[in-house]
Amino acid sequence: MSPLTLALAFHNHQPVGNFGSVFEQAYERAYEPMVSALERHPNVRVALHYSGPLLDWLAEARPELIDRVRALVRRGQAEIMTGGYYEPILPAIPDRDKRGQIAKLTKTAHDLFGYDPTGLWLAERVWEPYLPRPLARAGVGYTIVDDTHFYHVGLTEPELTGHFITEEGGETLSIFPSLKSLRYRIPWQPVSDLMAWLRDQAAGGADPDRILVMGDDGEKFGLWPGTFALCWEKGWVEAFFSALDSAREWLTLALPAEWIGAHPPRGRIYLPTASYDEMTEWALPADAAALLPSVKHDLAAEGREGLLRFMQGGFWRHFLVKYPEINTLHKTMLRVSGKVWRMHPGPDRDAALESLWKGQCNCPYWHGVFGGAYLGHIRAANYRHLIRAEEIADRRERPGSWVAQAWGDYDADGRPEILVRSDAQVITIDPADGGSVVAWDVRGAGVNLANVMTRRPEGYHQTLRAALARGDAVLVQPGEEDLLESIHTERVRVREPGLGRFLIYDWYRRSGFLDHLLEPGGGPAAFSTGRLRELGDFVNQPYTASQVGREPKSRRRGPRHALVRLVRDGHLWAGDYHAPVRIEKTFAVPPGQASLEVAYKVTNRSTRSLRADFAVETNWGVSGPAASFLIDEGRAVRRGVGELFLAGTSTSVLIDDPEWAFRVRVGFPAASVWGSPIEVVSASEAGFERTFQGASLLLVWPLSLEPEEAWETRVTVRGGTDAAPAEPWA
């Protein structure tokens, strides 16, 4: 039997903004047990990657683990890998931020562990062909990607037994393929079966430059459902490490950095854009994301597995198309990055860069079985840091109280948006999407009030619907959350009964100040489920900006406001008559305070009388169901944001979120107030579950207009820590 070399790399990460209890649980169930196992088995050598957020937590809460890992490094048992400090998707951020984040983690590895890393953990293994140049310039010698990337250029698994060299513009980078055969066996197969497979690989060749590599998440050794019992209580890792100790005659463990220094590359290679298989499936549109796995399953069932290596899913960047809300987050990050890098070097820019880089953490920018696009607290954390970075940059540039507005294609869709900035807030208005507010950043609180996700189809919803129809969805009972389950399982687990009733989809993006003309007599239940008939064509249709600028001095409003006046000549269906209707709305934004005033004028431009319910929809990125609406503070009618409700005639609503450092008050002429939660069914490693995405608030007025008659109203929103009520408008 010929000697075989094996390299193991464990990637350990927790997102920016994750709950402290999750960090603690991950430490107790995965990170500390693995270090203990390595200490018991000094012949087992591994590469370790710890992301910056996790290192920051360890340094404060569990510094002894850092000392223990340093000891592993000193005795040559472990190497440390670098990466983007806050675990960004590297192709999604500017090159200057790539270099800065990598340099920060490389320096931290030196300071904490006494190691100067040359290997880089590539977040979510998202590879694009230009990466060798910025990585080489950041001092990176090698990275690890999945074998999937290599299959797309025609290689087969037997050929993936070493490292390869690639380049961009002559600047080179070594790449190891991480074998799916190992990732799917460790730790899911019995150790005896795994070792038998490795022994078969050793018997298959005599090449001294042959190495098999597995790079995967450290959390699957204790934090994924059921793996703590498997890996530690039942002793899978102990048995595996003992088996590796016993196999030293034919199996050698190597560190990737050492291997590259002692062995030549297999050859030059150029990899296409790729990620791991599941990620490319998740990035597809919903119908395609549901179809591709079934096609793969059918090919495998037909014995045509050889074709699977030519099947390619989507492109990671398509998440920015699939989720417009995430594109807003991403383009906010790019805009803030440019602003921060234009600052003069110094302590303020350093602080702004730290906040910017935290806002680049990858987790809320995508969604699959993992990923935080549907995790509100993860999205909110990225926004908090981006808002802080921009505030630092703007404070240096424009101290004092001010307000300004500008046109620009801020979301890179080929159509301009309007950005209204002040010392207190940044409001993004999208004329092309219903003239709505798609982002509303309150600087002092670090909150995007519009941080809401729309209810939309997901590919896995088809899997859930089919299982519910068959009656074979498995309800996870209390205490069963930790049953062993690979993320690749075909079993459908649900976290609560009746999930099918929450598979409701919106036909427009849930943003702020959307204008509805609704069939009279409806209510929040019909509206929330999409059964209430929309009579107008204003919600997601383009408005024209008739004015963007500063208003004249106003005695009523005090300091000069920035004004954005939008108009749309649309229609209302009155029976079989398509009646022309004009809606004008004017946004007034003051300096010095987090507030907004929106004035409406609705004009019947037809020759007939028209009736409808006019509704202004706002959607609020509250932190969770613990938040509440206080309807008419004098009456003190409190309704939870997780409730469906209809409040009678009211003139104000206070939004009270215990996670916010301020309150938001909405004032308006007497209207009916409808409230409904925005909830989606999302997938996680523990099963299908309902997750809260925000709260919808509708202000509804009955509208009856004669030909050429106009009707006006006004909505004011004020945010602050004081107890003064919002001013209602008569």
Side-chain angles (χ1 to χ4, degrees):
M1 181 179 299
S2 303
L4 177 69
T5 302
L6 175 67
L8 302 173
F10 301 143
H11 156 62
N12 304 298
H13 167 62
Q14 290 299 317
V16 170
N18 210 359
F19 300 122
S21 59
V22 178
F23 279 85
E24 184 68 40
Q25 184 184 45
Y27 169 82
E28 293 176 351
R29 297 170 72 91
Y31 307 143
E32 193 285 330
M34 180 58 73
V35 172
S36 292
L38 291 170
E39 290 170 336
R40 292 192 300 272
H41 296 272
N43 294 317
V44 176
R45 310 177 74 208
V46 297
L48 297 173
H49 172 256
Y50 294 93
S51 70
L54 179 54
L55 286 176
D56 292 343
W57 184 86
L58 288 171
E60 180 177 346
R62 292 290 185 268
E64 64 277 6
L65 191 76
I66 291 175
D67 295 337
R68 293 165 63 187
V69 173
R70 185 189 307 117
L72 297 178
V73 171
R74 283 178 175 171
R75 69 187 187 208
Q77 190 179 352
E79 72 164 277
I80 303 297
M81 299 182 71
T82 189
Y85 194 89
Y86 293 105
E87 196 67 5
I89 299 293
L90 288 179
I93 67 174
D95 283 357
R96 61 195 171 222
D97 294 317
K98 293 181 182 67
R99 292 191 298 270
Q101 289 225 38
I102 294 169
K104 180 176 174 64
L105 190 55
T106 298
K107 182 179 184 302
T108 301
H110 175 87
D111 294 344
L112 292 181
F113 304 114
Y115 188 87
D116 295 315
T118 59
L120 175 135
W121 183 263
L122 189 65
E124 304 306 325
R125 281 91 83 197
V126 176
W127 172 266
E128 293 189 15
Y130 78 95
L131 279 175
R133 175 176 288 175
L135 294 187
R137 292 182 178 182
V140 175
Y142 80 87
T143 191
I144 299 173
V145 301
D146 281 20
D147 48 6
T148 303
H149 301 54
F150 292 80
Y151 297 150
H152 292 334
V153 293
L155 273 67
T156 61
E157 184 175 90
E159 297 174 280
L160 305 184
T161 57
H163 69 284
F164 294 77
I165 196 83
T166 191
E167 56 87 21
E168 170 66 12
E171 300 186 59
T172 60
L173 179 76
S174 291
I175 309 180
F176 284 104
S178 171
L179 299 184
K180 184 176 182 179
S181 294
L182 285 169
R183 298 194 310 275
Y184 277 38
R185 284 179 166 87
I186 299 174
W188 313 111
Q189 273 198 354
V191 171
S192 57
D193 291 352
L194 169 61
M195 297 306 294
W197 182 85
L198 287 170
R199 186 178 287 270
D200 287 343
Q201 305 309 304
D207 185 352
D209 295 320
R210 195 164 56 114
I211 185 172
L212 306 182
V213 177
M214 187 208 76
D216 212 348
D217 296 347
E219 291 78 23
K220 78 175 187 176
F221 299 99
L223 193 61
W224 292 7
T227 56
F228 181 77
L230 171 69
C231 291
W232 308 114
E233 293 178 343
K234 296 180 180 178
W236 192 96
V237 172
E238 183 67 25
F240 178 46
F241 284 2
S242 295
L244 293 176
D245 283 335
S246 301
R248 278 183 286 168
E249 289 186 1
W250 59 272
L251 184 62
T252 301
L253 289 168
L255 302 179
E258 292 181 355
W259 179 268
I260 288 175
H263 298 267
R266 288 296 185 193
R268 187 173 60 255
I269 198 164
Y270 296 94
L271 299 178
T273 296
S275 181
Y276 51 86
D277 256 349
E278 296 85 357
M279 179 70 84
T280 63
E281 293 173 6
W282 299 332
L284 290 168
D287 288 344
L291 179 61
L292 182 57
S294 65
V295 171
K296 290 180 176 179
H297 182 272
D298 291 346
L299 287 174
E302 296 168 6
R304 304 168 72 189
E305 293 94 335
L307 295 178
L308 294 179
R309 63 193 175 105
F310 300 111
M311 300 204 65
Q312 204 165 344
F315 180 18
W316 186 90
R317 295 193 193 209
H318 199 269
F319 283 113
L320 306 179
V321 177
K322 191 172 183 176
Y323 304 116
E325 303 90 341
I326 301 309
N327 184 61
T328 297
L329 173 64
H330 180 257
K331 299 310 181 290
T332 297
M333 178 272 294
L334 294 181
R335 176 172 57 81
V336 173
S337 175
K339 185 175 292 188
V340 168
W341 282 102
R342 287 192 295 271
M343 296 175 67
H344 292 297
D348 281 351
R349 191 178 78 167
D350 292 344
L353 282 172
E354 277 298 298
S355 292
L356 166 67
W357 292 343
K358 289 178 181 178
Q360 294 173 340
C361 181
N362 81 82
C363 300
Y365 288 96
W366 59 276
H367 171 69
V369 173
F370 302 108
Y374 285 124
L375 296 178
H377 69 289
I378 299 297
R379 296 196 313 269
N382 276 44
Y383 268 118
R384 181 171 64 252
H385 294 297
L386 294 176
I387 292 168
R388 174 60 176 158
E390 185 170 24
E391 181 182 23
I392 295 171
D394 279 347
R395 191 174 60 231
R396 284 296 302 268
E397 181 184 353
R398 300 188 67 167
S401 180
W402 55 275
V403 64
Q405 61 282 319
W407 283 87
D409 185 10
Y410 296 106
D411 63 0
D413 69 347
R415 301 174 297 183
E417 293 75 47
I418 302 165
L419 199 68
V420 185
R421 298 164 45 235
S422 77
D423 54 300
Q425 59 188 343
V426 180
I427 298 174
T428 306
I429 301 169
D430 190 346
D433 193 7
S436 62
V437 171
V438 296
W440 189 347
D441 299 341
V442 178
R443 295 188 190 267
V447 172
N448 174 13
L449 297 177
N451 178 23
V452 172
M453 286 291 285
T454 300
R455 302 176 300 179
R456 55 173 54 89
E458 294 287 354
Y460 52 70
H461 286 170
Q462 295 188 29
T463 302
L464 175 60
R465 288 182 192 276
L468 292 174
R470 294 191 306 267
D472 59 7
V474 178
L475 177 63
V476 180
Q477 301 292 341
E480 293 182 345
E481 294 86 354
D482 202 31
L483 292 177
L484 179 62
E485 198 80 69
S486 165
I487 64 169
H488 314 295
T489 181
E490 295 182 3
R491 208 164 63 119
V492 175
R493 305 174 76 199
V494 295
R495 304 295 299 276
E496 64 174 286
L499 272 183
R501 70 183 187 275
F502 297 105
L503 293 174
I504 301 169
Y505 308 126
D506 299 312
W507 53 275
Y508 58 91
R509 178 176 175 177
R510 291 291 194 123
S511 49
F513 295 96
L514 295 162
D515 311 325
H516 295 269
L517 290 170
L518 301 171
E519 188 172 36
F527 178 81
S528 177
T529 54
R531 293 181 287 109
L532 183 56
R533 186 181 175 204
E534 181 77 43
L535 302 179
D537 58 0
F538 293 88
V539 174
N540 59 356
Q541 296 302 301
Y543 279 62
T544 300
S546 61
Q547 178 183 351
V548 179
R550 300 285 293 278
E551 69 172 350
K553 289 186 177 179
S554 167
R555 180 174 297 178
R556 180 175 67 84
R557 281 200 288 247
R560 294 174 66 189
H561 288 45
L563 291 184
V564 176
R565 182 169 289 118
L566 304 177
V567 61
R568 173 170 170 77
D569 287 313
H571 299 85
L572 180 148
W573 282 105
D576 59 353
Y577 177 53
H578 207 198
V581 172
R582 170 176 288 180
I583 293 182
E584 300 168 81
K585 56 183 172 183
T586 302
F587 297 87
V589 181
Q593 55 182 296
S595 67
L596 173 65
E597 180 179 294
V598 186
Y600 278 93
K601 183 178 180 180
V602 183
T603 304
N604 176 5
R605 306 191 73 191
S606 77
T607 58
R608 300 187 186 184
S609 299
L610 300 179
R611 291 183 64 247
D613 281 347
F614 177 70
V616 175
E617 178 184 357
T618 53
N619 294 289
W620 302 92
V622 291
S623 61
S628 61
F629 293 128
L630 189 63
I631 315 295
D632 278 348
E633 292 173 81
R635 291 190 295 148
V637 178
R638 189 175 294 274
R639 306 303 296 262
V641 296
E643 298 180 56
L644 190 72
F645 69 85
L646 185 156
T649 303
S650 308
T651 58
S652 69
V653 176
L654 181 144
I655 304 170
D656 189 6
D657 189 326
E659 297 296 320
W660 292 354
F662 70 109
R663 288 176 161 186
V664 174
R665 291 169 173 82
V666 186
F668 43 89
S672 178
V673 178
W674 302 0
S676 59
I678 304 170
E679 298 173 305
V680 305
V681 177
S682 63
S684 75
E685 63 272 29
F688 293 98
E689 59 190 358
R690 176 166 49 122
T691 58
F692 180 86
Q693 300 303 318
S696 183
L697 191 70
L698 255 72
L699 309 177
V700 184
W701 294 271
L703 199 63
S704 180
L705 295 177
E706 296 302 314
E708 298 302 325
E709 184 181 1
W711 174 87
E712 298 184 41
T713 193
R714 192 183 302 268
V715 180
T716 64
V717 182
R718 292 186 174 90
T721 57
D722 63 302
E727 294 180 11
W729 288 87

